[in-house]
Amino acid sequence: MADVVSFRKEEPAGLLRVERYEPILRITLNNPPANALSIAVMEALADALDAVAADEAIRIVVLASTGKVFSAGHDLKEMTARRSDADGGRAFFEKTMRMAADLMLKIAALPQPVVAEIDGLATAAGCQLVASCDLAICTDTSTFCTPGVNIGLFCSTPMVAVTRAAHPKQAMEMLLTGETIDASTAKDFGLVNRIVPQQYLRQVVDKYAAVIASKSPQALRIGKAAMRAQAGLPLADAYDVAVATMVDNMFADDAQEGIGAFLDKRMPEWKKP
């Protein structure tokens, strides 16, 4: 039985559903019908991620959603309503975009891997959210797009995450055309890792998460940090980061236990937080 908790005090049963399954935490966006990333949703998700970062017993996070839309991105109605502000909405727009950027940075900086579980449309900042996660698994009917150009608004902030997940030219294709791509194309582009039939999505994600959660907690944290640290560096600099990480990793308790277990031909017993 899952323990259901909320990290959003003002919304105890609303914007997010957070469920704990031993070392696996599921965070489900619950802002139907579009699961828009309103200020309130982003605040709730940021609070949840802060709580995860402080809990070493959590080894992996699954980010899912309710309904037919994974996330439609920013709440355009919420943003448009602020055009009547004295500054035309500039301060609110800056707050919204900065909050979204900080949210994506939290996912990148989170010690635990984050797996996006997508069933439906991920568009604009919703696509950015998928691209920001470490791994992504979607249904064969899921779709993805960065449609800002269709409404006169280039998806500049989603661009940052999408161009780091997909090949630059393929990412640029999405950004320039605004067209929706299917799951197969998203996998070809590099936005998602795996595609599964809808009826098996939760089962596959749970198994995927359980496999990762069974690995060394120390190695998972060290590995994610190293992956982020070397990404984008010149080749020689990337190897400098990797060499330093491997040397430090050799002194970790789990590395000593894991190597010993391998040599002794037994299962390792990872150190608990």
Side-chain angles (χ1 to χ4, degrees):
M1 181 68 69
D3 295 325
V4 181
V5 296
S6 174
F7 294 120
R8 174 70 174 159
K9 295 183 177 65
E10 296 84 359
E11 301 287 344
L15 300 176
L16 296 182
R17 187 168 68 245
V18 182
E19 302 161 285
R20 180 76 171 264
Y21 298 88
E22 297 299 331
I24 302 170
L25 192 81
R26 287 183 62 88
I27 301 176
T28 304
L29 300 178
N30 188 36
N31 187 32
N35 288 310
L37 297 178
S38 64
I39 292 291
V41 168
M42 290 192 290
E43 287 177 342
L45 186 51
D47 288 347
L49 294 174
D50 285 342
V52 170
D55 190 342
E56 292 186 355
I58 297 173
R59 298 186 186 178
I60 188 166
V61 177
V62 175
L63 181 59
S65 65
T66 58
K68 297 180 180 180
V69 178
F70 175 78
S71 176
H74 291 301
D75 190 331
L76 295 181
K77 289 184 178 179
E78 180 180 65
M79 296 178 69
T80 300
R82 302 303 292 265
R83 289 191 181 275
S84 60
D85 292 355
D87 63 352
R90 176 173 290 275
F92 186 79
F93 301 158
E94 289 178 350
K95 177 181 179 179
T96 299
M97 299 307 168
R98 183 70 258 172
M99 186 174 291
D102 289 344
L103 182 62
M104 307 306 161
L105 289 170
K106 278 184 185 292
I107 293 173
L110 199 70
Q112 300 91 336
V114 181
V115 181
E117 178 186 293
I118 308 107
D119 180 20
L121 174 65
T123 178
C127 189
Q128 178 185 6
L129 188 59
V130 171
S132 297
C133 292
D134 300 295
L135 302 167
I137 301 175
C138 72
T139 60
D140 49 12
T141 56
S142 293
T143 52
F144 305 82
C145 64
T146 51
V149 290
N150 297 332
I151 57 171
L153 187 68
F154 196 83
C155 283
S156 299
T157 44
M159 171 187 69
V160 175
V162 173
T163 54
R164 282 162 172 75
H167 188 282
K169 289 189 183 299
Q170 293 166 325
M172 198 61 167
E173 177 183 329
M174 294 180 65
L175 293 159
L176 290 175
T177 67
E179 293 182 350
T180 300
I181 61 172
D182 59 19
S184 179
T185 304
K187 187 174 185 296
D188 289 342
F189 280 14
L191 283 176
V192 300
N193 297 84
R194 300 191 183 190
I195 304 170
V196 299
Q198 186 178 44
Q199 64 268 34
Y200 299 123
L201 178 62
R202 176 64 184 269
Q203 179 182 343
V204 170
V205 172
D206 284 350
K207 182 177 180 180
Y208 207 68
V211 168
I212 294 172
S214 71
K215 309 305 180 184
S216 158
Q218 291 178 341
L220 293 177
R221 290 168 180 260
I222 291 170
K224 176 171 176 176
M227 179 69 171
R228 297 288 183 175
Q230 65 82 35
L233 292 178
L235 187 61
D237 293 340
Y239 271 115
D240 287 343
V241 170
V243 167
T245 299
M246 286 291 287
V247 172
D248 289 342
N249 197 168
M250 285 294 293
F251 290 95
D253 294 333
D254 279 359
Q256 296 181 62
E257 165 62 15
I259 293 171
F262 176 78
L263 295 175
D264 294 341
K265 297 182 180 180
R266 61 176 173 82
M267 292 299 294
E269 295 181 11
W270 306 127
K271 182 179 180 180
K272 294 182 178 180

